[in-house]
């Protein structure tokens, strides 16, 4: 998996972990595709719909497997920081921050080696995302959720 695909998968997992894919979250992906090189070279719609097919079959296991993928990736600090920024932006995209999203972020964050200080140097107002969590359960509730295909208009 390329680093750009890793960023996209991180964004997707953070958009889906609450059991809902909001229009604002899809719009953020579209905006990032148009205005940055973060997802260059990826067929965004095809890839996201592939992720949807997988999460519809695997449920929470899909989210958990991404954490394992992330943990086994050899990322430098800048790449890890991009994962963190992408994840937080996606969580905040719909202006509704669910506990399940923050909890998933904390699991994602635990798979990275970047320090809290390095994150806070760039994202000083995001300290709440770095606080320890009380419970680290898997995301089995996703098993009963089915997502529809994503359409990204040109």
């Amino acid at each position: 998996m390329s680093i750009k695909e890793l960023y996209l998968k991180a964004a997707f997992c953070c958009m889906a972990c609450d059991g809902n894919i909001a229009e604002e979250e899809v719009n953020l992906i579209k905006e990032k595709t148009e205005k940055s090189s973060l997802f260059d070279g990826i067929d965004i719609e095809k890839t996201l719909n592939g992720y949807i097919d997988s999460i519809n079959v695997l449920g929470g296991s899909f989210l958990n497997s991404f954490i394992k993928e992330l943990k086994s990736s050899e990322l430098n600090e800048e790449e890890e920081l991009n994962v963190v920024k992408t994840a937080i932006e996606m969580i905040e995209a719909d202006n509704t921050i669910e506990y399940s999203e923050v909890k998933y972020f904390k699991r994602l964050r635990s798979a990275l080696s970047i320090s809290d200080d390095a994150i806070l140097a760039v994202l000083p107002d995001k300290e709440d995302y770095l606080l320890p969590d009380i419970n680290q359960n898997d995301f089995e509730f996703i098993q009963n959720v089915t997502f529809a295909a994503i359409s990204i208009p040109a």
Side-chain angles (χ1 to χ4, degrees):
M1 173 180 300
S2 75
I3 187 63
K4 292 176 186 266
E5 291 169 320
L6 189 90
Y7 295 151
L8 183 60
K9 197 167 188 180
F12 174 79
C13 287
C14 288
M15 82 165 65
C17 71
D18 64 352
N20 178 45
I21 296 176
E23 184 177 337
E24 296 92 344
E25 294 166 333
V26 175
N27 289 340
L28 178 60
I29 295 284
K30 182 181 176 188
E31 179 182 317
K32 287 202 166 291
T33 301
E34 293 172 352
K35 295 183 180 177
S36 77
S37 62
L38 195 64
F39 306 132
D40 275 356
I42 301 173
D43 183 335
I44 301 295
E45 193 167 338
K46 179 182 176 185
T47 303
L48 289 177
N49 286 317
Y51 294 158
I52 285 173
D53 291 342
S54 295
I55 201 169
N56 285 343
V57 171
L58 301 172
S61 297
F62 179 86
L63 299 173
N64 292 327
S65 69
F66 177 66
I67 299 296
K68 291 175 186 170
E69 280 180 68
L70 192 57
K71 195 173 229 174
S72 67
S73 299
E74 294 184 25
L75 306 175
N76 63 38
E77 187 173 295
E78 180 183 347
E79 292 166 336
E80 288 192 357
L81 188 56
N82 279 334
V83 169
V84 168
K85 287 193 288 191
T86 301
I88 291 174
E89 287 174 354
M90 189 55 61
I91 290 168
E92 295 178 346
D94 64 357
N95 296 311
T96 303
I97 300 173
E98 302 286 338
Y99 175 71
S100 58
E101 294 171 312
V102 175
K103 186 174 183 172
Y104 187 74
F105 173 82
K106 289 178 182 192
R107 294 197 63 228
L108 179 148
R109 165 68 184 92
S110 72
L112 303 173
S113 61
I114 190 170
S115 71
D116 288 351
D117 290 338
I119 294 170
L120 292 172
V122 177
L123 303 167
D125 59 338
K126 304 302 179 192
E127 187 172 9
D128 287 350
Y129 286 95
L130 305 177
L131 297 173
D133 203 2
I134 296 169
N135 191 355
Q136 292 285 334
N137 290 333
D138 290 341
F139 290 85
E140 297 307 320
F141 65 92
I142 296 288
Q143 296 287 358
N144 299 323
V145 174
T146 303
F147 297 105
I150 292 176
S151 175
I152 300 178

